Every structure is written in C-alpha cells, then in structure tokens.
Amino acid sequence: MRSKVSLIICLTFLLVLLGACGTGGVQQAESEHWVIKFERSSGSFSLAYIGDETQIDDLVYSVSGTNINQEGKAYTSHETPFNISGVVTDAEKTKDPIEFKINWNKKSENVTFE
C-alpha cells in the first residue's frame, strides 16, 4: 500500500513538472510575406520568406520590446526560398510584447508576439 502511494505521488509530481516545461514553447506568426517562429524562453527565432519574389535584397530586421533593441542584416542578396535565424537577448526576462520588424526589397512588415 505504501509503495502505491509513493508511486502515485511520484507520477503526479512528474506530470506537474512536465506540464510546466511546456509553457515556453515555440510561437508562430505570419505576415503577408514572412513566417516568424519565436521561443521566448530561449530567445531563438527564425524568419522564413513565403512571398512570391525570387530574390531578397537589403534585408534588415529589428527586434524591440521592453529592454530589447536588436538589429540584424543579411549582407548579400539571396534567392528564395530564404530563411534566417538568431537569438533575442534577454527575451525570457520580459512578459511584454516583442515586435519583429522586417525590411527587404523596399518593403516592410511587422509582427508582434504578445
């Protein structure tokens, strides 16, 4: 009987622990031309172009939020499909919205993660 109680307590603890681990998962958002995947707990993100253009020129992206102000750039022209990834420093330290602004080919789009 005592071992069954211990087993139930251990299993309950394990389920609670696994449930808590899943709260910082990858979020995905789309704009007209981009898919952005972002994981706040690690700060990792990826930008993937889903538009119709065959070449990406002058790509500059910025990430902003409370105590977050970063910028990245692709230094050369790239044929599509195109994606780029990086890390947002200190993303896990804020619960406030984080905005990605992407500029390319004289166009601009924004995506905000709440």
Side-chain angles (χ1 to χ4, degrees):
M1 178 70 172
R2 191 173 203 184
S3 64
K4 285 185 179 183
V5 172
S6 296
L7 179 62
I8 290 172
I9 291 172
C10 286
L11 288 175
T12 303
F13 177 74
L14 182 61
L15 288 173
V16 169
L17 182 64
L18 288 174
C21 291
T23 60
V26 176
Q27 296 176 297
Q28 179 173 311
E30 287 188 27
S31 64
E32 185 178 346
H33 296 93
W34 296 90
V35 172
I36 299 97
K37 293 182 181 179
F38 176 57
E39 183 176 26
R40 190 179 292 260
S41 63
S42 67
S44 63
F45 70 90
S46 66
L47 310 174
Y49 182 72
I50 58 171
D52 295 330
E53 297 169 80
T54 59
Q55 188 164 319
I56 303 295
D57 295 313
D58 304 319
L59 175 75
V60 177
Y61 63 88
S62 62
V63 184
S64 59
T66 303
N67 298 319
I68 296 171
N69 188 16
Q70 292 179 225
E71 191 172 280
K73 183 176 185 177
Y75 290 102
T76 61
S77 294
H78 296 275
E79 291 183 8
T80 59
F82 172 78
N83 61 59
I84 191 168
S85 60
V87 175
V88 178
T89 305
D90 295 334
E92 77 284 357
K93 294 181 180 178
T94 182
K95 300 287 185 210
D96 296 334
I98 295 177
E99 180 182 39
F100 287 77
K101 183 175 183 178
I102 307 163
N103 298 293
W104 81 104
N105 298 2
K106 299 181 182 177
K107 297 178 183 176
S108 180
E109 292 180 359
N110 297 351
V111 172
T112 302
F113 289 89
E114 299 294 330

PDB file of all heavy atoms in Angstrom, residues 8-35:
ATOM      1  N   ILE A   8       2.072   6.970  -6.820  1.00  0.00           N
ATOM      2  CA  ILE A   8       1.084   7.983  -7.225  1.00  0.00           C
ATOM      3  C   ILE A   8       1.651   9.383  -7.006  1.00  0.00           C
ATOM      4  O   ILE A   8       1.505  10.257  -7.865  1.00  0.00           O
ATOM      5  CB  ILE A   8      -0.246   7.770  -6.471  1.00  0.00           C
ATOM      6  CG1 ILE A   8      -0.915   6.494  -6.973  1.00  0.00           C
ATOM      7  CG2 ILE A   8      -1.172   8.975  -6.647  1.00  0.00           C
ATOM      8  CD1 ILE A   8      -2.133   6.073  -6.174  1.00  0.00           C
ATOM      9  N   ILE A   9       2.314   9.607  -5.884  1.00  0.00           N
ATOM     10  CA  ILE A   9       2.914  10.917  -5.612  1.00  0.00           C
ATOM     11  C   ILE A   9       3.998  11.231  -6.634  1.00  0.00           C
ATOM     12  O   ILE A   9       4.054  12.337  -7.167  1.00  0.00           O
ATOM     13  CB  ILE A   9       3.467  10.977  -4.168  1.00  0.00           C
ATOM     14  CG1 ILE A   9       2.296  10.971  -3.180  1.00  0.00           C
ATOM     15  CG2 ILE A   9       4.346  12.211  -3.964  1.00  0.00           C
ATOM     16  CD1 ILE A   9       2.716  10.828  -1.733  1.00  0.00           C
ATOM     17  N   CYS A  10       4.830  10.274  -6.951  1.00  0.00           N
ATOM     18  CA  CYS A  10       5.894  10.476  -7.942  1.00  0.00           C
ATOM     19  C   CYS A  10       5.323  10.762  -9.325  1.00  0.00           C
ATOM     20  O   CYS A  10       5.798  11.669 -10.027  1.00  0.00           O
ATOM     21  CB  CYS A  10       6.820   9.263  -8.002  1.00  0.00           C
ATOM     22  SG  CYS A  10       7.914   9.141  -6.586  1.00  0.00           S
ATOM     23  N   LEU A  11       4.318  10.012  -9.730  1.00  0.00           N
ATOM     24  CA  LEU A  11       3.698  10.231 -11.037  1.00  0.00           C
ATOM     25  C   LEU A  11       3.015  11.596 -11.109  1.00  0.00           C
ATOM     26  O   LEU A  11       3.105  12.290 -12.127  1.00  0.00           O
ATOM     27  CB  LEU A  11       2.705   9.117 -11.353  1.00  0.00           C
ATOM     28  CG  LEU A  11       3.309   7.755 -11.678  1.00  0.00           C
ATOM     29  CD1 LEU A  11       2.218   6.714 -11.857  1.00  0.00           C
ATOM     30  CD2 LEU A  11       4.182   7.837 -12.918  1.00  0.00           C
ATOM     31  N   THR A  12       2.351  11.994 -10.049  1.00  0.00           N
ATOM     32  CA  THR A  12       1.708  13.303 -10.005  1.00  0.00           C
ATOM     33  C   THR A  12       2.744  14.407 -10.122  1.00  0.00           C
ATOM     34  O   THR A  12       2.576  15.366 -10.884  1.00  0.00           O
ATOM     35  CB  THR A  12       0.891  13.463  -8.705  1.00  0.00           C
ATOM     36  OG1 THR A  12      -0.066  12.412  -8.630  1.00  0.00           O
ATOM     37  CG2 THR A  12       0.201  14.810  -8.663  1.00  0.00           C
ATOM     38  N   PHE A  13       3.828  14.284  -9.372  1.00  0.00           N
ATOM     39  CA  PHE A  13       4.909  15.267  -9.434  1.00  0.00           C
ATOM     40  C   PHE A  13       5.499  15.331 -10.840  1.00  0.00           C
ATOM     41  O   PHE A  13       5.739  16.415 -11.377  1.00  0.00           O
ATOM     42  CB  PHE A  13       5.997  14.923  -8.417  1.00  0.00           C
ATOM     43  CG  PHE A  13       7.169  15.849  -8.472  1.00  0.00           C
ATOM     44  CD1 PHE A  13       7.074  17.141  -7.962  1.00  0.00           C
ATOM     45  CD2 PHE A  13       8.366  15.450  -9.043  1.00  0.00           C
ATOM     46  CE1 PHE A  13       8.144  18.007  -8.019  1.00  0.00           C
ATOM     47  CE2 PHE A  13       9.435  16.306  -9.108  1.00  0.00           C
ATOM     48  CZ  PHE A  13       9.335  17.585  -8.590  1.00  0.00           C
ATOM     49  N   LEU A  14       5.704  14.200 -11.470  1.00  0.00           N
ATOM     50  CA  LEU A  14       6.254  14.140 -12.817  1.00  0.00           C
ATOM     51  C   LEU A  14       5.330  14.820 -13.830  1.00  0.00           C
ATOM     52  O   LEU A  14       5.774  15.579 -14.697  1.00  0.00           O
ATOM     53  CB  LEU A  14       6.518  12.692 -13.224  1.00  0.00           C
ATOM     54  CG  LEU A  14       7.144  12.455 -14.592  1.00  0.00           C
ATOM     55  CD1 LEU A  14       8.516  13.117 -14.671  1.00  0.00           C
ATOM     56  CD2 LEU A  14       7.264  10.982 -14.877  1.00  0.00           C
ATOM     57  N   LEU A  15       4.026  14.577 -13.722  1.00  0.00           N
ATOM     58  CA  LEU A  15       3.065  15.212 -14.627  1.00  0.00           C
ATOM     59  C   LEU A  15       3.031  16.729 -14.446  1.00  0.00           C
ATOM     60  O   LEU A  15       2.974  17.474 -15.419  1.00  0.00           O
ATOM     61  CB  LEU A  15       1.672  14.624 -14.418  1.00  0.00           C
ATOM     62  CG  LEU A  15       1.465  13.202 -14.927  1.00  0.00           C
ATOM     63  CD1 LEU A  15       0.092  12.686 -14.507  1.00  0.00           C
ATOM     64  CD2 LEU A  15       1.627  13.147 -16.433  1.00  0.00           C
ATOM     65  N   VAL A  16       3.100  17.193 -13.220  1.00  0.00           N
ATOM     66  CA  VAL A  16       3.129  18.634 -12.960  1.00  0.00           C
ATOM     67  C   VAL A  16       4.404  19.235 -13.540  1.00  0.00           C
ATOM     68  O   VAL A  16       4.382  20.285 -14.177  1.00  0.00           O
ATOM     69  CB  VAL A  16       3.004  18.924 -11.447  1.00  0.00           C
ATOM     70  CG1 VAL A  16       3.305  20.386 -11.139  1.00  0.00           C
ATOM     71  CG2 VAL A  16       1.623  18.536 -10.947  1.00  0.00           C
ATOM     72  N   LEU A  17       5.510  18.573 -13.343  1.00  0.00           N
ATOM     73  CA  LEU A  17       6.791  19.054 -13.857  1.00  0.00           C
ATOM     74  C   LEU A  17       6.790  19.104 -15.378  1.00  0.00           C
ATOM     75  O   LEU A  17       7.202  20.103 -15.977  1.00  0.00           O
ATOM     76  CB  LEU A  17       7.930  18.160 -13.365  1.00  0.00           C
ATOM     77  CG  LEU A  17       9.340  18.562 -13.769  1.00  0.00           C
ATOM     78  CD1 LEU A  17       9.687  19.913 -13.159  1.00  0.00           C
ATOM     79  CD2 LEU A  17      10.341  17.515 -13.323  1.00  0.00           C
ATOM     80  N   LEU A  18       6.293  18.080 -16.034  1.00  0.00           N
ATOM     81  CA  LEU A  18       6.233  18.067 -17.496  1.00  0.00           C
ATOM     82  C   LEU A  18       5.275  19.127 -18.030  1.00  0.00           C
ATOM     83  O   LEU A  18       5.537  19.751 -19.053  1.00  0.00           O
ATOM     84  CB  LEU A  18       5.809  16.682 -18.000  1.00  0.00           C
ATOM     85  CG  LEU A  18       6.860  15.586 -17.871  1.00  0.00           C
ATOM     86  CD1 LEU A  18       6.262  14.238 -18.261  1.00  0.00           C
ATOM     87  CD2 LEU A  18       8.084  15.887 -18.699  1.00  0.00           C
ATOM     88  N   GLY A  19       4.193  19.355 -17.351  1.00  0.00           N
ATOM     89  CA  GLY A  19       3.259  20.401 -17.748  1.00  0.00           C
ATOM     90  C   GLY A  19       3.881  21.780 -17.658  1.00  0.00           C
ATOM     91  O   GLY A  19       3.666  22.636 -18.516  1.00  0.00           O
ATOM     92  N   ALA A  20       4.682  22.023 -16.650  1.00  0.00           N
ATOM     93  CA  ALA A  20       5.342  23.320 -16.500  1.00  0.00           C
ATOM     94  C   ALA A  20       6.401  23.531 -17.573  1.00  0.00           C
ATOM     95  O   ALA A  20       6.635  24.652 -18.015  1.00  0.00           O
ATOM     96  CB  ALA A  20       5.973  23.423 -15.115  1.00  0.00           C
ATOM     97  N   CYS A  21       7.042  22.486 -18.011  1.00  0.00           N
ATOM     98  CA  CYS A  21       8.077  22.604 -19.041  1.00  0.00           C
ATOM     99  C   CYS A  21       7.492  23.026 -20.379  1.00  0.00           C
ATOM    100  O   CYS A  21       8.165  23.644 -21.188  1.00  0.00           O
ATOM    101  CB  CYS A  21       8.823  21.285 -19.220  1.00  0.00           C
ATOM    102  SG  CYS A  21       9.860  20.855 -17.825  1.00  0.00           S
ATOM    103  N   GLY A  22       6.256  22.719 -20.634  1.00  0.00           N
ATOM    104  CA  GLY A  22       5.655  23.005 -21.929  1.00  0.00           C
ATOM    105  C   GLY A  22       5.152  24.424 -22.097  1.00  0.00           C
ATOM    106  O   GLY A  22       4.695  24.788 -23.163  1.00  0.00           O
ATOM    107  N   THR A  23       5.240  25.281 -21.073  1.00  0.00           N
ATOM    108  CA  THR A  23       4.652  26.605 -21.156  1.00  0.00           C
ATOM    109  C   THR A  23       5.469  27.580 -21.982  1.00  0.00           C
ATOM    110  O   THR A  23       4.959  28.611 -22.373  1.00  0.00           O
ATOM    111  CB  THR A  23       4.438  27.197 -19.747  1.00  0.00           C
ATOM    112  OG1 THR A  23       5.710  27.283 -19.101  1.00  0.00           O
ATOM    113  CG2 THR A  23       3.479  26.350 -18.941  1.00  0.00           C
ATOM    114  N   GLY A  24       6.722  27.307 -22.281  1.00  0.00           N
ATOM    115  CA  GLY A  24       7.559  28.249 -23.013  1.00  0.00           C
ATOM    116  C   GLY A  24       7.803  27.805 -24.433  1.00  0.00           C
ATOM    117  O   GLY A  24       8.879  28.004 -24.956  1.00  0.00           O
ATOM    118  N   GLY A  25       6.843  27.225 -25.079  1.00  0.00           N
ATOM    119  CA  GLY A  25       7.027  26.647 -26.398  1.00  0.00           C
ATOM    120  C   GLY A  25       7.201  27.662 -27.509  1.00  0.00           C
ATOM    121  O   GLY A  25       7.175  28.871 -27.303  1.00  0.00           O
ATOM    122  N   VAL A  26       7.382  27.146 -28.691  1.00  0.00           N
ATOM    123  CA  VAL A  26       7.594  27.968 -29.876  1.00  0.00           C
ATOM    124  C   VAL A  26       6.262  28.546 -30.336  1.00  0.00           C
ATOM    125  O   VAL A  26       5.279  27.832 -30.486  1.00  0.00           O
ATOM    126  CB  VAL A  26       8.232  27.129 -31.006  1.00  0.00           C
ATOM    127  CG1 VAL A  26       8.366  27.958 -32.265  1.00  0.00           C
ATOM    128  CG2 VAL A  26       9.570  26.573 -30.566  1.00  0.00           C
ATOM    129  N   GLN A  27       6.255  29.850 -30.549  1.00  0.00           N
ATOM    130  CA  GLN A  27       5.090  30.528 -31.105  1.00  0.00           C
ATOM    131  C   GLN A  27       5.372  30.798 -32.574  1.00  0.00           C
ATOM    132  O   GLN A  27       6.521  31.007 -32.961  1.00  0.00           O
ATOM    133  CB  GLN A  27       4.848  31.859 -30.398  1.00  0.00           C
ATOM    134  CG  GLN A  27       4.504  31.731 -28.932  1.00  0.00           C
ATOM    135  CD  GLN A  27       4.374  33.111 -28.318  1.00  0.00           C
ATOM    136  OE1 GLN A  27       5.335  33.858 -28.274  1.00  0.00           O
ATOM    137  NE2 GLN A  27       3.180  33.432 -27.860  1.00  0.00           N
ATOM    138  N   GLN A  28       4.331  30.832 -33.377  1.00  0.00           N
ATOM    139  CA  GLN A  28       4.488  31.122 -34.802  1.00  0.00           C
ATOM    140  C   GLN A  28       3.481  32.184 -35.205  1.00  0.00           C
ATOM    141  O   GLN A  28       2.331  32.145 -34.794  1.00  0.00           O
ATOM    142  CB  GLN A  28       4.281  29.867 -35.634  1.00  0.00           C
ATOM    143  CG  GLN A  28       4.417  30.111 -37.124  1.00  0.00           C
ATOM    144  CD  GLN A  28       4.369  28.835 -37.935  1.00  0.00           C
ATOM    145  OE1 GLN A  28       5.063  27.894 -37.624  1.00  0.00           O
ATOM    146  NE2 GLN A  28       3.550  28.815 -38.964  1.00  0.00           N
ATOM    147  N   ALA A  29       3.952  33.143 -36.007  1.00  0.00           N
ATOM    148  CA  ALA A  29       3.069  34.179 -36.531  1.00  0.00           C
ATOM    149  C   ALA A  29       3.429  34.412 -37.993  1.00  0.00           C
ATOM    150  O   ALA A  29       4.568  34.188 -38.401  1.00  0.00           O
ATOM    151  CB  ALA A  29       3.220  35.468 -35.736  1.00  0.00           C
ATOM    152  N   GLU A  30       2.437  34.845 -38.761  1.00  0.00           N
ATOM    153  CA  GLU A  30       2.659  35.115 -40.184  1.00  0.00           C
ATOM    154  C   GLU A  30       2.244  36.534 -40.521  1.00  0.00           C
ATOM    155  O   GLU A  30       1.258  37.046 -39.995  1.00  0.00           O
ATOM    156  CB  GLU A  30       1.838  34.160 -41.058  1.00  0.00           C
ATOM    157  CG  GLU A  30       2.352  32.757 -41.078  1.00  0.00           C
ATOM    158  CD  GLU A  30       1.630  31.885 -42.101  1.00  0.00           C
ATOM    159  OE1 GLU A  30       1.119  32.421 -43.099  1.00  0.00           O
ATOM    160  OE2 GLU A  30       1.589  30.666 -41.883  1.00  0.00           O
ATOM    161  N   SER A  31       3.018  37.136 -41.412  1.00  0.00           N
ATOM    162  CA  SER A  31       2.597  38.373 -42.053  1.00  0.00           C
ATOM    163  C   SER A  31       2.303  38.001 -43.507  1.00  0.00           C
ATOM    164  O   SER A  31       2.246  36.821 -43.846  1.00  0.00           O
ATOM    165  CB  SER A  31       3.700  39.435 -41.945  1.00  0.00           C
ATOM    166  OG  SER A  31       4.856  39.014 -42.648  1.00  0.00           O
ATOM    167  N   GLU A  32       2.161  38.970 -44.350  1.00  0.00           N
ATOM    168  CA  GLU A  32       1.849  38.657 -45.747  1.00  0.00           C
ATOM    169  C   GLU A  32       2.974  37.897 -46.440  1.00  0.00           C
ATOM    170  O   GLU A  32       2.732  37.010 -47.259  1.00  0.00           O
ATOM    171  CB  GLU A  32       1.557  39.947 -46.513  1.00  0.00           C
ATOM    172  CG  GLU A  32       1.097  39.715 -47.933  1.00  0.00           C
ATOM    173  CD  GLU A  32       0.754  41.000 -48.662  1.00  0.00           C
ATOM    174  OE1 GLU A  32       0.614  42.054 -48.014  1.00  0.00           O
ATOM    175  OE2 GLU A  32       0.631  40.941 -49.898  1.00  0.00           O
ATOM    176  N   HIS A  33       4.232  38.217 -46.097  1.00  0.00           N
ATOM    177  CA  HIS A  33       5.382  37.632 -46.788  1.00  0.00           C
ATOM    178  C   HIS A  33       6.322  36.802 -45.912  1.00  0.00           C
ATOM    179  O   HIS A  33       7.280  36.229 -46.428  1.00  0.00           O
ATOM    180  CB  HIS A  33       6.210  38.740 -47.445  1.00  0.00           C
ATOM    181  CG  HIS A  33       5.476  39.473 -48.512  1.00  0.00           C
ATOM    182  ND1 HIS A  33       4.774  40.626 -48.275  1.00  0.00           N
ATOM    183  CD2 HIS A  33       5.326  39.198 -49.825  1.00  0.00           C
ATOM    184  CE1 HIS A  33       4.229  41.055 -49.398  1.00  0.00           C
ATOM    185  NE2 HIS A  33       4.539  40.198 -50.357  1.00  0.00           N
ATOM    186  N   TRP A  34       6.090  36.748 -44.598  1.00  0.00           N
ATOM    187  CA  TRP A  34       7.035  36.103 -43.685  1.00  0.00           C
ATOM    188  C   TRP A  34       6.325  35.213 -42.679  1.00  0.00           C
ATOM    189  O   TRP A  34       5.226  35.508 -42.239  1.00  0.00           O
ATOM    190  CB  TRP A  34       7.847  37.157 -42.933  1.00  0.00           C
ATOM    191  CG  TRP A  34       8.710  37.965 -43.826  1.00  0.00           C
ATOM    192  CD1 TRP A  34       8.371  39.137 -44.454  1.00  0.00           C
ATOM    193  CD2 TRP A  34      10.038  37.665 -44.232  1.00  0.00           C
ATOM    194  NE1 TRP A  34       9.426  39.574 -45.211  1.00  0.00           N
ATOM    195  CE2 TRP A  34      10.462  38.694 -45.094  1.00  0.00           C
ATOM    196  CE3 TRP A  34      10.924  36.624 -43.946  1.00  0.00           C
ATOM    197  CZ2 TRP A  34      11.722  38.713 -45.673  1.00  0.00           C
ATOM    198  CZ3 TRP A  34      12.185  36.644 -44.524  1.00  0.00           C
ATOM    199  CH2 TRP A  34      12.575  37.672 -45.372  1.00  0.00           C
ATOM    200  N   VAL A  35       7.012  34.128 -42.286  1.00  0.00           N
ATOM    201  CA  VAL A  35       6.618  33.299 -41.145  1.00  0.00           C
ATOM    202  C   VAL A  35       7.713  33.474 -40.108  1.00  0.00           C
ATOM    203  O   VAL A  35       8.897  33.286 -40.406  1.00  0.00           O
ATOM    204  CB  VAL A  35       6.492  31.807 -41.520  1.00  0.00           C
ATOM    205  CG1 VAL A  35       6.272  30.960 -40.278  1.00  0.00           C
ATOM    206  CG2 VAL A  35       5.382  31.592 -42.507  1.00  0.00           C
TER     207      VAL A  35
END
